[in-house]
Amino acid sequence: MIQLDKQYEPGEVEKRWGQFWQEKNFFHADETKESPAYSIVIPPPNITGRLHIGHAFNNTLQDIIARWKRMQGYNTLWQPGMDHAGIATQNVVEKQLHAEGSNRQELGREAFVERVWKWRNESGGTITGQLKKLGCSLDWERERFTMDEGLSKAVREVFVTLYEEGLVYKGDYIINWCPRCQTALSDLEVEHKDAQGHLYHLKYPFKDGEGSLIIATTRPETMLGDTAVAVNPDDERYQKYKGKSLVLPMLNREIPLIEDRYVDTSFGTGALKVTPAHDPNDFELGRRHQLETINVMNPDGTMNSLAGSEYEGLDRFECRKKLVEDLKDSGVLVKVEDLSHSVGHCYRCRTVVEPYLSKQWFVKAKPLAEPAMKAVRDGTIKIIPKFWENTYFEWMENIRDWCISRQIWWGHQIPAWNCQSCGEVVVARKTPKTCSACSSADLVQETDVLDTWFSSALWPFSTLGWPEKTQSLERFYPTSMLCTGFDILFFWVARMIMMGLKFMGEVPFRDVYIHALIRDAEGQKMSKTKGNVIDPLEVMEQYGTDALRFTLAAFAAQGRDIKLAEDRIEGYRNFCNKLWNASRFVFMNLEDYKGSCALDEKNNLSTADRWILSRLNRATKEVNEALEAFRFNDAALTVYKFIWNEYCDWYIELTKSKLTDSGPERVAAQNVLIHVLNSALKLLHPFMPFITEEIWQKLPQDEDSIMVSKFPEFQEERTDAAVEKEMDTVMEVITGIRNIRGEMNLNPGLKLNVLVKTSNPKTQKTLQDQASYIRKLARVEQLQTGAEIEKPKVSASSVLGEMDLIIPLEGMMDFQEERNRIEKELKKIQKDLIFLNKKLSNPDFVEKAPAEVIEKDEQRKTSLSEKQVKLEIHLKTIKQGID
RNA sequence: GGGCGGGUAGCUCAGUUGGGAGAGCACCGGCCUUACAAGCCGGGGGUCACAGGUUCGAGCCCUGUUCCGCCUACCA
């Protein structure tokens, strides 16, 4: 006989089954298998990453779907892998070097990249092990890395093709520059934060010495790169200065006054200093007016020689400080205003980003965005919840070219070579030996690498072997669903759609499930600096992985952020224990069990048996439907309620009386106990893989693992509405008795005699047939039913629909207590009746409401009235008892 | 500036076609009833942010107000 401990201990169990699944290779998807495929690619975590609660959430949801689909018989692939995370990883290794008193420049590019690989092989990807701990059924055999040879080949193929089609170009533009990381960033990689700054008003004198203009700026240090002042041609105030020149203070450079309708006459003074090398709008202005561009900063954010000898070498913010002092001293600074404005920061290191003119590579986005929008518009791709589609369209419609070059060393080096002889740029799939224009061998490869998101954009097909025509690609592309947070909707999802359509001619996935962000109990975003992070690994240690997973699923209602509170996790840990102990009970009653767990319909199934089977069937339907629609919380809650509130609270209690007998009823109960437990475990398995496997393996069955067993399916014919109704009656009586017991403060151990008066012969029969249940669960000695029952004077009673529940309490009646109870009930009824009467006497309602609604209310009114009458009579006798 | 999401029990949140609101935790009372005290039984608790509107009927649909959160934007 199988015995379980009194408490479920997750630690050892999780380790054991985690290993078992992998040894058995159950996570592997076979591309040669013909059964219908279901595929998901993991959002590749950074190799620098450690599992945080967001990962845990994201991957739990994917695993739920993967395990569910696998059990449904789909050839299920969940593709694992990691992202090389260019800037983040480079930062990590540079920090190490710094600690050693070295830096990457000292090491040189080749040695540095080698060092990063070494780091990655040794300590990169700790998250892989953590995902395994979480129970993720990823096909580890297929693990990919964005810097792998195959994926690098895909990157080159895509880059070169786009270049050949003119969709990749190189040029001088203002980009977002991080002076700390010393690289360009895409628009998306800049985080805008509101900051309290200053608006400096500066006086620029006219060259002819007659008067001056006041301009306003938030970044005074950029004035050193000014090459014009602009006003709006319609601005009356400045008409008279047309065609004049000004003198740039401090540097005494002559700059023209230009006119452009871009200038907002209502902001500041209506006069705008123009710095084409340090502001995107000024850059455009400069282009329109053929202005000189003067870049006054070094890549590290210090001022260069063009800023003048006074400022050269100073950091941009030091420069600002000194310059403002100097401007004040020389009378140029007219006034300083406070101004709150938004300032861009590097998303990797939080340094204030500098708009910076430099030569970069770009992807032309518009032509790629058009089909990507269409795919969502026509429903080829479904975004769930749907409201994210709006966000997607809005961004796509205003999409700008994507800056893809990064001035770092860790990443895919751009496959472009500059000919040192003739200046030709050679872009090629294979490293060229000679210049395509002049045949010189003097080629130097572009030093920049590609944005990490460039390779991520290819993930759904590059991981499957593209550009080779592999069977995996054939089998698993397009993938079925993508599960991710909204924070990377543009970074990643949109770009995958663009690239997938461009290079595969087909969308990369059908369903995109966008989940919410996990916050702390106060709704704050979790962050290390705030110290409010919940570490999933600690939670798993403390409460068990299954409890964490279930909590996350139960919280995953669509469209709302998740405030994670620890007591919820504890609650679901208790659920594990509940399930464990229910199973313990089942095993304790199997010592003589010989049958198979297959359900023989011809067995003498009791009412309770048939009831729980019917309920199981309903739960099964709901779970499948909920998962189909990615309503994880509904699915989780359905299983939870079924197991706890139906199987445990009622069915197990009901079987106890059957199990004490020997004979067919005991065997039937055993069969049903096992069958329902088995099915419930399967329903729960996607959410709680470990505990379900542990219990399931002990059940009599001959399959290898619950994770490859068949997921329950709804069977119409298993639904038994009649028996559910019967059980409802029984449960109603039991609850009614318990209620009286509780409210009358009767000892729970006290056996009671109970009378149920009802004129409905069917109900009478039900109660008589199921009397043993009522006796056992409500602690009843004698149960008498009939139409002509005389109510003893000293008794408590309540009205349950068509039944009068009467409990004689001679010698132990607390009349006052009973009176309170009845009056409370009557009060409620009166309130309801007033409401119903009002409603039903409203001619509009009777005239316009659907017949079934009126019917329902009429019935309610009738039964309430009857109940009222009965209770009033009862109350009268109670009052006599008091007197 | 524009857009989106949200305000439901003390707390965290469900509520899928509009027909008088649910869960978990917390709280109160009673139980070691031979699976489970991480449990069992019973109970109290809500002008569904506010104000209008549509409707016989609104937590749900429409308008406005307000508070919170997020995304987005080149006003120097």
Side-chain angles (χ1 to χ4, degrees), chain A residues 291-325:
Chain A
L291 297 175
E292 193 187 350
T293 57
I294 301 176
N295 189 333
V296 293
M297 274 185 218
N298 295 310
D300 65 356
T302 60
M303 310 307 288
N304 64 24
S305 61
L306 293 175
S309 53
E310 289 287 306
Y311 306 107
E312 182 179 3
L314 288 180
D315 175 78
R316 54 192 165 144
F317 297 117
E318 287 170 35
C319 171
R320 178 181 300 176
K321 223 160 136 191
K322 180 172 187 325
L323 185 62
V324 168
E325 283 306 312

Side-chain angles (χ1 to χ4, degrees), chain A residues 93-112:
Chain A
V93 177
E94 283 197 278
K95 236 177 232 167
Q96 284 185 349
L97 290 176
H98 183 74
E100 295 163 15
S102 174
N103 59 53
R104 72 175 156 117
Q105 283 76 16
E106 204 170 283
L107 224 62
R109 183 167 191 149
E110 206 172 315
F112 178 77

Side-chain angles (χ1 to χ4, degrees), chain A residues 827-841 864:
Chain A
K827 234 172 161 178
K828 218 191 285 173
I829 292 174
Q830 275 155 11
K831 217 179 103 197
D832 287 355
L833 276 175
I834 290 170
F835 174 80
L836 277 174
N837 280 327
K838 212 172 116 193
K839 195 170 174 184
L840 286 165
S841 61
L864 279 173

Side-chain angles (χ1 to χ4, degrees), chain A residues 814-827:
Chain A
D814 183 335
F815 286 91
Q816 192 56 49
E817 201 66 61
E818 177 68 353
R819 179 180 173 174
N820 293 345
R821 211 173 61 80
I822 301 299
E823 282 177 342
K824 192 177 83 184
E825 182 78 16
L826 273 169
K827 234 172 161 178

Side-chain angles (χ1 to χ4, degrees), chain A residues 148 185 225 287 409 579 585 588 701 708 711 794:
Chain A
D148 279 352
L185 300 169
R287 285 207 150 177
W409 289 350
L579 172 65
F585 172 83
M588 285 170 85
Q701 39 72 27
V708 290
F711 200 78
V794 184

